[in-house]
Amino acid sequence: MTALLTTANWSSSHWIKALRAADPGRNFVLHGVDEYDPASVRYALTWKPPEGLLPSLPNLEVIFNLGAGVDAVLSDPDLPDVPLVRLVDENLADRMTEWVTWQVLTHHRQGLAYLDQQHNRLWRVREQPIAADVRVGFLGYGVLAQNAAGIVRALGYQVSAWSRSPKEADVPIFAGEAGLAPFLGQTDILVVLLPLTDATREIVDARLIDALARDGALGGPVLINAGRGGLQNEDDILAALVDGRLKGASLDVFQTEPLPTDHPLWGAPNLIITPHCSAISDPASVSRYVSRQMAAYERGEPLINVVDRTRGY
Ligand code: NDP
Ligand code: OXD
């Protein structure tokens, strides 16, 4: 009985070592390196598995996605009909919270403008609205957004969120299509933490940008996206940065990754680009999560964080 690992562009040696340390009694094999019999594979532990690999495992029982977003694994048209478990991990959530907080503070406190001043040896104090006057809206209010919202709120910002379904929460929640325009109309800094699904593809376009609040303390709206590149129309974002409809933006994810060196976004004004690293999966922490789930499953307990394939996340 084998657990098969695929890690795409992540360091496979770190992952296999961490898995073997977390669960020494189990047979982990690394696809493309170790010999294995496909019929012996009961679990697949994957990040962006090569298309066709999972359908080739006749006795596969569970797929564990090593990241939070499952869009890559769901894109395989022949994905076996077995439970797909996504990653829910405090370590991952805390990393995302660090990145989101960093971006919110940088745009609010004009980090790019001060860096520019420093390069020009210019001593000039800029406008300084207090956090309580700045409205941060989370587009998507799942595990990661809720964790980040807790810290952003603790810093004093006004926080609200938009999700697919209504929910009880400690911030105002706008839900569904009807809730989107009112939500955007009261948002100064938009933090996108949605999954990429048929319903959310390119949701961040010119229309959405134009619906953001323009009467806020920052003098214009700011876009922050750490969800997926497929959520954004990059031509629309570029145009809005160039003509000032967006005061600033931070993008961690892109339609094409790595972002091609000749992509015009590299030169866009007031844009912070990070290379899809806002929250990286920690091999040791994720290995413990997967090991706990496999043990519980073998005791006959239900798997947790199983993806609802009809919703796509
Ligand atoms: P969750 O599944 O916990 O939350 C998703 C949220 O999006 C929920 O609030 C959900 O609404 C909402 N949502 C989904 N579809 C819609 C829709 N059509 N309309 C409105 N709201 C919708 O996801 P996580 O918080 O764990 O992760 C979010 C995403 O972050 C991942 O899917 C992944 O793409 C990305 N990510 C990026 C990383 C990076 O390094 N850049 C690292 C980790 C994750 P509801 O609450 O009603 O279900
Ligand atoms: C994730 C990611 O989805 O790293 O976890 O993008």
Side-chain angles (χ1 to χ4, degrees):
M1 190 202 317
T2 297
L4 175 66
L5 173 68
T6 69
T7 59
N9 55 329
W10 294 353
S11 161
S12 54
S13 57
H14 282 110
W15 279 89
I16 200 83
K17 208 168 137 201
L19 283 163
R20 288 175 178 151
D23 203 343
R26 202 175 288 278
N27 181 34
F28 292 101
V29 293
L30 180 58
H31 177 69
V33 173
D34 299 318
E35 293 272 314
Y36 65 93
D37 172 8
S40 72
V41 175
R42 188 170 178 189
Y43 305 111
L45 283 45
T46 67
W47 179 245
K48 298 187 179 168
E51 196 170 308
L53 173 65
L54 299 177
S56 76
L57 307 170
N59 298 313
L60 185 64
E61 288 181 35
V62 185
I63 303 166
F64 291 97
N65 195 56
L66 300 177
V70 289
D71 45 297
V73 68
L74 286 178
S75 69
D76 188 334
D78 299 315
L79 190 66
D81 188 16
V82 299
L84 166 62
V85 175
R86 75 187 201 96
L87 177 62
V88 174
D89 180 32
E90 223 173 272
N91 182 303
L92 186 82
D94 287 345
R95 289 167 194 263
M96 182 58 84
T97 295
E98 291 167 4
W99 187 87
V100 167
T101 310
W102 167 35
Q103 302 311 323
V104 167
L105 282 167
T106 297
H107 289 290
H108 165 209
R109 294 302 299 265
Q110 309 202 48
L112 290 178
Y114 279 119
L115 205 54
D116 198 46
Q117 285 188 195
Q118 184 179 334
H119 289 146
N120 291 300
R121 299 168 183 242
L122 180 65
W123 185 277
R124 183 188 141 201
V125 177
R126 295 177 161 261
E127 290 286 309
Q128 195 177 102
I130 192 160
D133 290 336
V134 178
R135 299 162 295 181
V136 179
F138 285 84
L139 199 67
Y141 201 55
V143 173
L144 300 180
Q146 288 177 34
N147 197 64
I151 298 299
V152 171
R153 261 182 93 211
L155 288 170
Y157 293 95
Q158 297 176 45
V159 174
S160 66
W162 181 70
S163 63
R164 198 175 56 93
S165 49
K167 55 169 64 65
E168 285 288 309
D170 44 13
V171 303
I173 298 287
F174 299 74
E177 257 178 63
L180 184 56
F183 163 76
L184 296 170
Q186 52 90 73
T187 293
D188 300 316
I189 299 182
L190 182 71
V191 180
V192 183
L193 276 172
L194 284 168
L196 178 60
T197 67
D198 289 344
T200 61
R201 195 169 303 280
E202 293 208 15
I203 188 171
V204 181
D205 60 4
R207 241 177 67 168
L208 179 144
I209 291 167
D210 290 342
L212 287 164
R214 256 144 242 289
D215 59 352
L218 301 182
V222 168
L223 167 70
I224 295 174
N225 183 14
R228 280 289 180 268
L231 297 166
Q232 70 202 10
N233 181 312
E234 291 170 356
D235 291 343
D236 288 0
I237 293 172
L238 179 63
L241 283 167
V242 168
D243 70 20
R245 275 173 299 128
L246 275 177
K247 183 137 195 293
S250 296
L251 303 177
D252 182 55
V253 284
F254 298 88
Q255 293 271 5
T256 302
E257 293 178 3
L259 186 64
T261 49
D262 60 352
H263 198 289
L265 276 175
W266 285 111
N270 303 315
L271 172 62
I272 295 172
I273 288 176
T274 54
H276 197 145
C277 63
S278 53
I280 57 177
S281 293
D282 176 66
S285 183
V286 177
S287 297
R288 288 193 293 272
Y289 168 81
V290 173
S291 166
R292 275 197 307 274
Q293 285 245 44
M294 289 190 289
Y297 173 74
E298 286 161 11
R299 288 194 301 270
E301 294 167 22
L303 294 162
I304 54 169
N305 305 318
V306 175
V307 171
D308 176 344
R309 292 206 194 180
T310 56
R311 287 187 328 189
Y313 68 99

